[in-house]
Amino acid sequence: MALWGGRFSGGPDPLFTQLNDSLGFDYRLAREDIEGSIAYARATHRAGVLSAAELQQLLSALEGLLAAVIADPRLPLAPTGQHHEDIHSWVEARLIEKVGQLGKKLHTGRSRNDQVATDLRLWTRRAIDERLTQLAHTRAALLTFAQAHTSTILPGYTHLQRAQPVLVAHWALAYEAMLSRDSARLRDARARTNVCPLGSGALAGTAYAIDREALAKDLGFARASENSLDAVSDRDFVIETLAALSTLAMHLSRLGEDLVLYGSGEFAFFEYDDAFSSGSSLMPQKKNPDAAELLRGKSGRIVGSLVSLLTTLKGLPLAYNKDLQEDKEPLFDAMHQASLCLQATARIFAGVRVDAARCERAAKGGYSNATDLADYLVSKGVPFRDAHEQAGRSVRAAIEAGKPLDELPLALLREHAPTCDNDVFPALSLAAGFARREVPGGTGPKAVHAALQAAHARLNAEGT
Ligand code: ARG
């Protein structure tokens, strides 16, 4: 059913129909379109457009339809024998089927322009809430993992070279910190999403006496939008949401890369559950970290969604333009992929096995206690620059001797760092290195314990 028949003599070209139709993807807005229509029916009744009896009839038809699409979200894709351009025309056709001519009254003073903007805000708000819940679960999984590894030692890297040892819990808490900022960013985006465009009409504001604030409240929005031209063409809320999802996906891609590395035969720090790995069709010995690789890989398409919509919006004149129909697929896809990645991350962490002995051996190797030697020399009054130089020369001597620093004879150490005494050896132990890093935010065991408590408290306070 075409929504604009009156002015047209001929039908559309089938190719135009293919180009123009959006039902194939915007059917996902069915629930929100009906919820918006229910609130709009009440608002038009309050405005004196619909009688009480008409309102009741419309509401019961809309509520029946709402239940049907909640039960079967793909219902709008089922053949009806009619053509429907988009979800708005599908809902209207179903309504007319149920209540006849009265169904045609609902669109009074409403345009698909304020309607689709409202639907998309309702959809985005709901999707953000679902992602926030998943983020909370994923963060809880990271905290559980951290809790189990508050004394497991891992080499910390800079430039992917072993730098200084850290606790596995400290490593996990770093990712939890990233995800906590992602939760905050999604909440920010939600606040600007939560504004109601309905009542803006096509672009200039509706000509009916709609109480826009009451309508906004009815739909759970914080308020009505301010400017009708802006309201029908504003998609900033989608941009902000996609930007928050892109940052989240970027964080998960970094996590994915750490998991890929740590699970490789060369590192062999972590091992993953078979359920999240796959084999090779050719090489029987292989167990590939596909899930972690996809955490790394999905960021590409999620960032692509953000760039796609920014590019669509750039240079658009006011107000509504059909280009805006291109906002939906990137958003739907990014939300779906983010959902899969968040759920997978939580599940992967539930099955990570840590080879603590191997991690510790690796942390001890690579001369990652060279800074501790420099710090020791500083404690003996050597200026840091000289201490750094002496520690560097000691490392070179140790490499030549094929030994760790703390296994060099004192006499040899003294050739390069003359202030060294017997108390240098305990100072070079892993335990001493950790004990010196009890600064807030550091990897000392007490500091990590406090960080873990703080992260738990922060997550609980968010209440999702
Ligand atoms: N399918 C359209 C969209 O997604 C709905 C709005 C159409 N409005 C219009 N004036 N043609 O943007």
Side-chain angles (χ1 to χ4, degrees), residues 4 20-23 25-26 29 85-88 111-113 116 202 235 320-328:
W4 24 256
N20 190 50
D21 283 2
S22 54
L23 184 64
F25 49 89
D26 68 14
L29 299 176
E85 176 186 335
D86 57 22
I87 189 60
H88 322 296
S111 157
R112 280 187 296 158
N113 299 351
V116 73
R235 296 294 183 272
Y320 178 84
N321 300 273
K322 198 56 174 275
D323 314 46
L324 291 174
Q325 182 166 286
E326 293 296 312
D327 58 0
K328 290 170 201 63

Side-chain angles (χ1 to χ4, degrees), residues 136-173:
H137 289 152
T138 307
R139 288 165 56 193
L142 279 167
L143 295 184
T144 304
F145 178 78
Q147 193 84 59
H149 296 287
T150 48
S151 51
T152 316
I153 294 164
L154 187 73
Y157 295 86
T158 62
H159 313 268
L160 206 53
Q161 307 290 321
R162 269 174 281 180
Q164 289 169 352
V166 294
L167 293 176
V168 170
H170 197 55
W171 171 86
L173 281 167

Side-chain angles (χ1 to χ4, degrees), residues 37-170:
S37 294
I38 288 173
Y40 193 69
R42 289 203 197 100
T44 46
H45 167 63
R46 287 193 295 265
V49 175
L50 295 175
S51 72
E54 288 175 323
L55 174 65
Q56 278 323 310
Q57 236 188 310
L58 279 178
L59 288 183
S60 72
L62 285 166
E63 273 152 16
L65 198 54
L66 181 60
V69 300
I70 289 174
D72 176 10
R74 295 176 70 85
L75 184 64
L77 299 178
T80 60
Q82 297 166 309
H83 170 247
H84 306 291
E85 176 186 335
D86 57 22
I87 189 60
H88 322 296
S89 47
W90 182 86
V91 169
E92 191 169 335
R94 297 290 76 73
L95 200 56
I96 292 168
E97 233 168 44
K98 287 186 173 203
V99 300
Q101 290 302 95
L102 171 61
K104 297 184 179 170
K105 282 196 177 179
L106 179 61
H107 209 54
T108 312
R110 186 174 68 167
S111 157
R112 280 187 296 158
N113 299 351
D114 58 351
Q115 189 178 356
V116 73
T118 306
D119 292 2
L120 198 61
R121 282 176 184 269
L122 289 170
W123 189 93
T124 304
R125 187 177 71 185
R126 183 169 278 140
I128 287 176
D129 288 343
E130 289 165 2
R131 295 304 81 73
L132 283 170
T133 304
Q134 290 170 337
L135 264 164
H137 289 152
T138 307
R139 288 165 56 193
L142 279 167
L143 295 184
T144 304
F145 178 78
Q147 193 84 59
H149 296 287
T150 48
S151 51
T152 316
I153 294 164
L154 187 73
Y157 295 86
T158 62
H159 313 268
L160 206 53
Q161 307 290 321
R162 269 174 281 180
Q164 289 169 352
V166 294
L167 293 176
V168 170
H170 197 55

Side-chain angles (χ1 to χ4, degrees), residues 1 23 84 105 112 127 158 201 220 234 271 290 294 312 406 415 443 448 462:
M1 185 187 69
L23 184 64
H84 306 291
K105 282 196 177 179
R112 280 187 296 158
T158 62
D234 171 20
E271 206 192 321
D290 297 44
L294 285 166
T312 300
D406 43 327
E415 281 178 25
T443 197
V448 167
E462 288 173 22

